[in-house]
Structures are given as C-alpha cells and as structure tokens.
Amino acid sequence: MKLDLNMTTAFTLRKRIKDLARQYENVLSFGRFVVEPEQVDEELEKFENKNVYDTFVLWSKCNDETYKLSNLIDEYNEKGKVHLNALNVINKKIEVATRLEQLLKANRTQKSRNPVTGNWEVTKLEKITDTDFEKVVDALSKEKVKEEDELSKINSNTKFSFDLDDEIYHKIYG
C-alpha cells in the first residue's frame, strides 16, 4: 500500500509498526510451545492464523518494514537532525541548570557538635555564586520552544512516499 507521509506521520507509522512487531514478539517469546494435547488449540489461539510460523513471518515483515521506513526517515531527516541535536543539548543544559538552581536553594546553616565542648554549634553557609539559574532555565526554555517549532515545521513540510506491506497496513488501519 503506497502511503504519502510527512515526517510526523512517518514517525507515527513507524511507532505503530514497532508496536505491532512487539505484540507478535511477545506471543513468540512467551508462548508455550510444548503443551498437553487438550491445550494445543487453546495455545494456538494466541498466534496469527493459529499458526506459529505465520506469526513469525508477520513479525519478520514488521521488522523489515520498520527497517525500510527508518532508512527513509533518516534519508529525509537531515534538516530535522540539526534541530533534534540542538534540542538534546538544550535539554541537557536545562537539566543541569535546574539542578544548580535547586542546590543553591539549599539550607544555609549547618549544625554540628563541637568535639571539645560537646555543645551544638551553628555555622552560617554562603553561596559561592549569585547566578540566578532560574533565569537561565527560563531563557533555555524559550530557546527550546523555538527549536521545537522549527523542527515541527520541517517535519510537517518534509514529504515522501512509502510502500507499506498490505498485510501490515490492514493490521494497523483495518
């Protein structure tokens, strides 16, 4: 079945094919293949067309289609990868800046027992920086929104065709 896709729909389709493959893989991985005679029919109900090999073939097709679609996505996703890489860096910066923001809000006093007198003493602690990491996180979040918007534009405007196996198409879309 020939499908016209943009990057967004291609990512969605790939996820659906992977989900279908995962279902078949679970049946193949966790099915019981040696059972008592009266359980054979019941166990075969779990397999495609009540057949282990048919299930294996369909699982294999799903993996082949995922491979082909992933290669096509990679081929058309050059511009998007630049923004995706930028988003990965921004996310890491936000993660570290958020952690620093939290650490700087920590308790600024320390209580300890004097080993000589046995009395409790309170020591006032000082921050080693006045950097407002909340502002840093806000600025990075705005930068992230811009990158996400650019990536969305690219993903919706990048179009291509993909020839999906008919059987898998019908399993996904009915």
Side-chain angles (χ1 to χ4, degrees):
M1 178 72 61
K2 189 170 183 106
L3 301 173
D4 292 323
L5 305 170
N6 63 33
M7 290 303 286
T8 304
T9 56
F11 290 132
T12 302
L13 176 60
R14 180 173 63 183
K15 181 188 177 308
R16 288 178 180 157
I17 297 169
K18 284 181 174 184
D19 288 346
L20 186 61
R22 196 173 304 108
Q23 289 173 15
Y24 292 125
E25 184 172 352
N26 284 338
V27 170
L28 292 167
S29 296
F30 301 111
R32 294 180 8 205
F33 295 93
V34 180
V35 296
E36 293 179 23
E38 61 273 3
Q39 294 176 318
V40 170
D41 287 339
E42 179 186 335
E43 197 61 32
L44 285 174
E45 284 291 328
K46 299 173 185 174
F47 294 91
E48 191 67 25
N49 302 323
K50 297 182 181 184
N51 185 294
V52 174
Y53 184 72
D54 286 356
T55 306
F56 178 81
V57 168
L58 197 51
W59 172 77
S60 294
K61 281 185 190 179
C62 287
N63 285 295
D64 293 341
E65 294 299 295
T66 300
Y67 169 77
K68 291 189 302 190
L69 184 55
S70 291
N71 286 340
L72 202 54
I73 287 170
D74 288 348
E75 181 182 325
Y76 282 92
N77 199 23
E78 263 183 56
K79 291 179 188 173
K81 281 184 182 177
V82 171
H83 295 284
L84 205 53
N85 291 340
L87 280 168
N88 288 335
V89 169
I90 293 168
N91 284 333
K92 191 63 174 174
K93 289 178 183 179
I94 289 172
E95 178 187 321
V96 171
T98 301
R99 192 174 328 120
L100 291 171
E101 176 188 353
Q102 292 167 349
L103 290 169
L104 287 167
K105 290 179 182 176
N107 189 1
R108 296 210 179 116
T109 58
Q110 178 178 318
K111 197 175 183 183
S112 61
R113 187 173 288 239
N114 183 315
V116 176
T117 66
N119 295 329
W120 285 99
E121 297 177 353
V122 176
T123 308
K124 187 175 180 179
L125 304 175
E126 291 187 28
K127 297 189 298 183
I128 63 169
T129 182
D130 288 328
T131 305
D132 186 349
F133 280 98
E134 190 172 331
K135 286 182 180 175
V136 172
V137 170
D138 288 343
L140 287 167
S141 295
K142 289 174 184 166
E143 189 179 336
K144 179 179 176 179
V145 167
K146 289 178 186 174
E147 285 295 334
E148 288 173 335
D149 288 348
E150 282 301 311
L151 183 59
S152 283
K153 278 187 224 171
I154 289 169
N155 285 348
S156 63
N157 292 330
T158 302
K159 299 183 185 324
F160 55 91
S161 292
F162 179 67
D163 195 16
L164 180 62
D165 178 86
D166 288 342
E167 186 175 12
I168 292 173
Y169 175 87
H170 292 295
K171 291 287 179 190
I172 292 172
Y173 297 106

Coordinates of all heavy atoms in Angstrom, one line a residue, residues 74-104:
D74 N 15.6 8.5 7.9 CA 16.9 9.1 8.1 C 17.4 9.8 6.8 O 18.0 10.9 6.9 CB 17.9 7.9 8.3 CG 17.8 7.4 9.7 OD1 17.2 8.0 10.6 OD2 18.4 6.3 10.0
E75 N 17.0 9.3 5.7 CA 17.3 10.0 4.4 C 16.7 11.4 4.3 O 17.4 12.3 3.8 CB 16.9 9.1 3.2 CG 17.2 9.6 1.9 CD 16.6 8.7 0.8 OE1 16.6 7.5 1.0 OE2 16.2 9.2 -0.3
Y76 N 15.5 11.5 4.7 CA 14.7 12.8 4.6 C 14.9 13.7 5.8 O 14.4 14.8 5.8 CB 13.3 12.5 4.3 CG 13.0 12.1 2.9 CD1 13.0 10.8 2.5 CD2 12.8 13.1 1.9 CE1 12.7 10.4 1.2 CE2 12.5 12.7 0.6 CZ 12.5 11.4 0.2 OH 12.3 11.0 -1.1
N77 N 15.5 13.2 6.8 CA 15.5 13.9 8.1 C 16.8 14.7 8.3 O 17.1 15.1 9.5 CB 15.2 13.0 9.2 CG 14.8 13.7 10.5 OD1 14.3 14.8 10.4 ND2 15.0 13.1 11.6
E78 N 17.6 15.0 7.3 CA 18.8 15.8 7.5 C 18.6 17.1 8.2 O 19.3 17.4 9.2 CB 19.5 16.0 6.2 CG 20.6 15.0 5.9 CD 21.3 15.3 4.6 OE1 21.8 16.4 4.4 OE2 21.3 14.4 3.7
K79 N 17.7 17.9 7.8 CA 17.4 19.2 8.4 C 16.9 19.0 9.8 O 17.3 19.8 10.7 CB 16.4 20.0 7.5 CG 17.0 20.4 6.2 CD 15.9 21.2 5.4 CE 16.3 21.5 4.0 NZ 15.2 22.1 3.2
G80 N 16.0 18.1 10.0 CA 15.5 17.9 11.3 C 16.5 17.4 12.3 O 16.4 17.8 13.5
K81 N 17.5 16.7 11.9 CA 18.5 16.2 12.8 C 19.3 17.3 13.5 O 19.7 17.2 14.6 CB 19.5 15.2 12.1 CG 18.9 13.8 11.9 CD 20.0 12.9 11.3 CE 19.4 11.6 11.0 NZ 20.3 10.7 10.4
V82 N 19.5 18.4 12.7 CA 20.2 19.5 13.2 C 19.4 20.1 14.4 O 20.0 20.4 15.5 CB 20.4 20.6 12.2 CG1 20.9 21.9 12.7 CG2 21.3 20.1 11.1
H83 N 18.1 20.2 14.3 CA 17.3 20.8 15.4 C 17.1 19.7 16.5 O 17.1 20.1 17.7 CB 15.9 21.2 14.8 CG 16.0 22.3 13.9 ND1 16.2 23.6 14.3 CD2 16.0 22.4 12.5 CE1 16.3 24.4 13.2 NE2 16.1 23.7 12.1
L84 N 17.1 18.5 16.2 CA 17.0 17.4 17.2 C 18.3 17.4 18.0 O 18.2 17.3 19.3 CB 16.8 16.1 16.5 CG 16.1 15.0 17.3 CD1 14.8 15.4 17.9 CD2 15.9 13.8 16.4
N85 N 19.4 17.6 17.4 CA 20.7 17.6 18.1 C 20.7 18.9 19.0 O 21.2 18.8 20.2 CB 21.9 17.6 17.2 CG 22.0 16.3 16.5 OD1 21.6 15.3 16.9 ND2 22.7 16.3 15.3
A86 N 20.2 20.0 18.5 CA 20.2 21.2 19.3 C 19.3 21.0 20.5 O 19.6 21.5 21.6 CB 19.7 22.4 18.4
L87 N 18.1 20.4 20.3 CA 17.2 20.1 21.4 C 17.8 19.2 22.5 O 17.6 19.5 23.7 CB 15.9 19.5 20.9 CG 14.9 20.4 20.3 CD1 13.8 19.7 19.6 CD2 14.3 21.4 21.3
N88 N 18.6 18.2 22.1 CA 19.3 17.4 23.0 C 20.2 18.2 23.9 O 20.3 17.9 25.1 CB 20.0 16.2 22.3 CG 19.0 15.2 21.8 OD1 17.9 15.0 22.2 ND2 19.5 14.5 20.7
V89 N 21.0 19.1 23.3 CA 21.9 19.9 24.0 C 21.2 20.9 25.0 O 21.5 21.0 26.2 CB 22.8 20.7 23.1 CG1 23.6 21.8 23.8 CG2 23.7 19.8 22.3
I90 N 20.1 21.5 24.5 CA 19.3 22.4 25.3 C 18.7 21.7 26.5 O 18.7 22.2 27.6 CB 18.2 23.1 24.5 CG1 18.9 24.1 23.5 CG2 17.2 23.9 25.4 CD1 17.9 24.6 22.4
N91 N 18.2 20.5 26.3 CA 17.6 19.7 27.3 C 18.6 19.4 28.4 O 18.3 19.4 29.6 CB 16.9 18.4 26.8 CG 15.6 18.7 26.1 OD1 14.9 19.6 26.5 ND2 15.2 17.8 25.2
K92 N 19.8 19.0 28.0 CA 20.9 18.7 29.0 C 21.2 20.0 29.8 O 21.4 19.9 31.0 CB 22.1 18.2 28.3 CG 23.1 17.6 29.2 CD 22.6 16.4 29.9 CE 23.6 15.7 30.8 NZ 23.0 14.7 31.6
K93 N 21.3 21.1 29.1 CA 21.6 22.4 29.8 C 20.5 22.7 30.8 O 20.8 23.1 31.9 CB 21.7 23.5 28.8 CG 23.0 23.5 28.0 CD 23.0 24.6 27.0 CE 24.2 24.6 26.1 NZ 24.2 25.7 25.1
I94 N 19.2 22.5 30.4 CA 18.1 22.8 31.3 C 18.2 21.8 32.5 O 18.0 22.3 33.7 CB 16.8 22.6 30.6 CG1 16.6 23.8 29.6 CG2 15.6 22.5 31.6 CD1 15.3 23.6 28.7
E95 N 18.5 20.6 32.3 CA 18.7 19.6 33.4 C 19.7 20.1 34.4 O 19.4 20.1 35.6 CB 19.0 18.3 32.8 CG 19.2 17.2 33.8 CD 19.8 15.9 33.1 OE1 19.3 15.5 32.0 OE2 20.6 15.2 33.8
V96 N 20.9 20.5 33.9 CA 22.0 20.8 34.9 C 21.6 22.2 35.5 O 21.8 22.3 36.7 CB 23.3 20.9 34.1 CG1 24.4 21.5 35.0 CG2 23.7 19.5 33.7
A97 N 21.1 23.2 34.8 CA 20.8 24.5 35.4 C 19.7 24.3 36.4 O 19.7 25.0 37.5 CB 20.3 25.4 34.3
T98 N 18.7 23.4 36.2 CA 17.7 23.2 37.2 C 18.3 22.6 38.4 O 17.9 23.0 39.6 CB 16.6 22.3 36.6 OG1 16.0 22.9 35.4 CG2 15.5 22.0 37.6
R99 N 19.2 21.7 38.3 CA 19.8 21.0 39.4 C 20.6 22.1 40.2 O 20.5 22.2 41.5 CB 20.8 19.9 39.0 CG 21.2 19.1 40.1 CD 22.1 17.8 39.8 NE 21.7 17.2 38.5 CZ 22.5 17.1 37.5 NH1 23.8 17.5 37.5 NH2 22.1 16.5 36.3
L100 N 21.3 23.0 39.5 CA 22.1 24.0 40.2 C 21.1 25.0 40.9 O 21.4 25.4 42.1 CB 22.9 24.8 39.2 CG 24.1 24.0 38.6 CD1 24.7 24.8 37.5 CD2 25.1 23.7 39.7
E101 N 20.0 25.3 40.3 CA 19.0 26.2 40.9 C 18.5 25.6 42.2 O 18.5 26.3 43.3 CB 17.8 26.4 40.0 CG 16.7 27.2 40.5 CD 15.5 27.2 39.6 OE1 15.6 26.7 38.4 OE2 14.4 27.7 40.0
Q102 N 18.3 24.3 42.2 CA 17.8 23.6 43.5 C 18.9 23.6 44.5 O 18.6 23.8 45.7 CB 17.3 22.2 43.1 CG 16.1 22.2 42.3 CD 15.7 20.8 41.7 OE1 16.5 19.9 41.7 NE2 14.5 20.7 41.1
L103 N 20.1 23.3 44.1 CA 21.2 23.2 45.1 C 21.5 24.6 45.7 O 21.8 24.6 46.9 CB 22.5 22.7 44.4 CG 22.5 21.2 44.0 CD1 23.7 20.9 43.1 CD2 22.5 20.3 45.2
L104 N 21.3 25.6 45.0 CA 21.5 27.0 45.6 C 20.4 27.4 46.5 O 20.6 28.3 47.3 CB 21.7 28.0 44.4 CG 23.0 27.9 43.7 CD1 23.0 28.7 42.4 CD2 24.2 28.3 44.6

